[in-house]
Amino acid sequence: MYSVLNPADEQLVATVEATTADEAAAAVRRSRVAFESWRDVSPGDRAMLLRRFAEAVDGDLENLAATEVRNSGHTIGNARGEAANVRDVLHYYAGAPERLLGRQIPVAGGIDITVREPLGVVGVIVPWNFPMPIAGWGFAPALAAGNTVVLKPAELTPLTAMRLGELALEAGLPPDVLQVLPGKGSVVGQLFVDDPVVAKVVFTGSTEVGKAVMAGCSAHVKPVTLELGGKSANIVFADADLERAAATAPYAVFDNAGQDCCARSRILVQRSVFDRFLELLEPAVQGVRVEDPSLETAEMGPLISAAHRESVSSYLSDEAPVAFRGSAPEGPGFWFPPTVLAPVRPVDRVAVEEIFGPVVVVIPFEDEAEAVRVANASVYGLSGSIWTESLGRALRVARGVESGNLSVNSHSSVRYWTPFGGFKQSGLGRELGPDALDAFTEVKNIFVSSEGAT
Ligand code: NDP
């Protein structure tokens, strides 16, 4: 048993039984047995069960959201959106079982077709920053394609995932088709990597652990999808709508207290408007409402844990060029005010490492070429934004930045019907959108001879 704390007040929220390695191995074997019949559930019935699951999530939305506020410190507005995202992703992939199309390829002497086979047991390893959506992005397409799922939530944030497991059963999914196994990454997560019965691992988390997961999976030639860290650039050109760019920039990095792999945590500003941009940014940052996340007005809550607050604080040494900060509540809870560091050089540690907290660096640049060069001076490449009124520049820079998800004159968040994933050390493979099913199926080619007995 271990304790789960509310990061906003450090009070005990629940105690949770940690799954042991033996229990996880047994769950994987039950999952494999369940797979034999789940794969044969007709496409229409599988779709219907996923829709019922989506409706069950919808019916429980307020409870799921309130649970996330207590367990993760997410603002109530965000938490509702996250539960709704699970519902919507389930509905989206409920359309998939009946559309898992193969091809017919012309050949001589018969017919050649391709079919998409499910992989078997899929292990999904979820981090603490978005417990509900990241779980759903794994299990919804995996189940739709006919796989069964074992899911390990982060140790710190297991409660909503456990509830989603119950809702799946209430919706009529057969037992063991989706099992939620709270516990340690080094035990349950590692078992998903090492156990040959697990056919695929979907991992979201730190680049460091992601590399170890990939290395471990290579021993079995086990496919992996990895969604890892980020240090995304928000590039503001002199010809941009500076008021809008400055007003929106805080939300592009401080949402979820900066604990977001897509956080635009490097703001690159053209030198000719650098000072003006900072003038506009200051009131925008100070206007971010950092408060009890259960309040409807809250825009930012606490960090997830004391240890994580320590880690974020370690970036604010005496030499850190703090330009200005927002506010945060005093007293219990893992609070940290929004913090802007400026001017920062691209090589500074704060500009290079993923801080994963409400700290943003502002870096000046001269011209378009330098903007692209600085944006790409990172091992990561997950998301980013480009602010300019020039369509040509927007397109050139969007093509030049090495990143999986870019938005122009906006900070678009992840849309479940478009692909999401990273370049370079931000990950491997794509989640969501129409192509995610490729990551949960193997293509089988079948040739049927038309020769022989008449
Ligand atoms: P981790 O990468 O350690 O954790 C992510 C998930 O992996 C958790 O469920 C964790 O379990 C599990 N895990 C840990 N070790 C193993 C292992 N050996 N094998 C399989 N699974 C494992 O991230 P942290 O929570 O420690 O966060 C550290 C940093 O990572 C953050 O500060 C941030 O920079 C980055 N991060 C990035 C995220 C992203 O979305 N890109 C998400 C979360 C973190 P357990 O809960 O038991 O640790």
Side-chain angles (χ1 to χ4, degrees):
M1 281 288 204
Y2 70 94
S3 302
V4 171
L5 299 184
N6 182 335
D9 59 14
E10 303 178 44
Q11 296 298 303
L12 182 72
V13 177
T15 51
V16 173
E17 193 89 51
T19 309
T20 64
D22 286 348
E23 287 164 346
V28 166
R29 269 132 203 91
R30 288 197 303 277
S31 189
R32 178 67 211 188
V33 172
F35 168 65
E36 298 304 334
S37 35
W38 177 244
R39 66 179 302 170
D40 290 336
V41 172
S42 74
D45 285 349
R46 223 184 302 140
M48 180 196 67
L49 286 166
L50 291 177
R51 280 191 201 102
R52 282 196 192 149
F53 186 7
E55 281 152 20
V57 171
D58 193 49
D60 201 54
L61 198 138
E62 282 301 323
N63 172 49
L64 283 166
T67 305
E68 203 65 281
V69 174
R70 282 196 304 279
N71 189 174
S72 308
H74 290 194
T75 63
I76 182 66
N78 279 7
R80 285 193 189 108
E82 291 158 19
N85 181 264
V86 178
R87 174 199 62 205
D88 295 344
V89 170
L90 279 165
H91 272 306
Y92 180 75
Y93 286 108
E98 292 156 314
R99 294 174 179 79
L100 264 184
L101 306 179
R103 287 177 296 177
Q104 181 267 311
I105 298 170
V107 288
I111 193 160
D112 192 282
I113 58 166
T114 64
V115 292
R116 297 201 149 272
E117 301 285 18
L119 304 170
V121 178
V122 173
V124 180
I125 302 172
V126 180
W128 45 258
N129 61 332
F130 289 110
M132 282 192 276
I134 292 173
W137 302 352
F139 69 63
L143 295 173
N147 305 281
T148 51
V149 172
V150 283
L151 184 143
K152 193 205 92 65
E155 227 178 317
L156 294 170
T157 57
L159 301 183
T160 47
M162 290 163 71
R163 180 67 189 136
L164 289 170
E166 292 169 2
L167 291 169
L169 288 174
E170 286 171 21
L173 265 77
D176 302 328
V177 164
L178 171 61
Q179 296 179 75
V180 177
L181 310 174
K184 281 189 176 301
S186 56
V187 176
V188 183
Q190 192 66 44
L191 184 117
F192 292 177
V193 172
D194 294 335
D195 191 329
V197 179
V198 176
K200 172 176 178 124
V201 172
V202 180
F203 173 86
T204 305
S206 62
T207 295
E208 187 192 351
V209 176
K211 286 178 184 173
V213 165
M214 189 175 173
C217 285
S218 76
H220 306 276
V221 196
K222 189 182 289 192
V224 285
T225 297
L226 301 173
E227 298 294 351
L228 309 174
K231 191 76 183 177
S232 297
N234 175 10
I235 310 173
V236 182
F237 286 95
D239 70 352
D241 178 343
L242 283 190
E243 278 75 15
R244 259 186 76 218
T248 55
Y251 300 94
V253 57
F254 301 142
D255 190 54
N256 207 30
Q259 304 165 120
D260 182 343
C261 46
C262 289
R264 275 69 164 174
S265 52
R266 292 184 296 157
I267 307 180
L268 279 44
V269 183
Q270 198 152 17
R271 200 179 292 278
S272 57
V273 293
F274 192 80
D275 292 342
R276 175 70 187 136
F277 182 82
L278 283 179
E279 268 168 35
L280 292 165
L281 185 64
E282 184 165 2
V285 168
Q286 276 152 3
V288 176
R289 295 189 65 114
V290 184
E291 57 189 1
D292 173 355
S294 65
L295 296 174
E296 296 288 341
T297 49
E299 292 181 322
M300 187 183 124
L303 292 168
I304 189 66
S305 66
H308 190 53
R309 185 169 59 181
E310 279 295 302
S311 158
V312 174
S313 305
S314 74
Y315 288 91
L316 293 188
S317 62
D318 291 343
E319 303 92 70
V322 176
F324 42 86
R325 304 186 84 175
S327 62
E330 304 281 330
F334 311 122
W335 297 97
F336 198 95
T339 302
V340 177
L341 305 181
V344 167
R345 292 171 309 152
V347 292
D348 293 342
R349 179 172 167 242
V350 285
V352 171
E353 294 181 14
E354 182 179 46
I355 299 175
F356 222 59
V359 179
V360 70
V361 299
V362 193
I363 304 172
F365 68 85
E366 292 299 336
D367 56 17
E368 196 178 307
E370 190 184 5
V372 172
R373 202 163 53 241
V374 173
N376 289 341
S378 172
V379 296
Y380 299 116
L382 192 53
S383 71
S385 305
I386 300 153
W387 291 80
T388 174
E389 294 295 294
S390 158
L391 179 60
R393 173 175 295 127
L395 283 173
R396 282 192 304 275
V397 176
R399 295 301 300 269
V401 174
E402 297 159 352
S403 171
N405 305 82
L406 289 164
S407 50
V408 175
N409 294 333
S410 68
H411 303 291
S412 80
S413 50
V414 181
R415 294 187 178 86
Y416 58 82
W417 62 101
T418 61
F420 174 66
F423 280 29
K424 302 193 278 188
Q425 294 190 27
S426 284
L428 198 66
R430 291 292 176 271
E431 297 193 280
L432 299 171
D435 303 330
L437 296 159
D438 292 351
F440 294 104
T441 51
E442 286 274 27
V443 173
K444 185 182 280 174
N445 192 69
I446 304 174
F447 170 72
V448 182
S449 169
S450 54
E451 320 251 304
T454 51

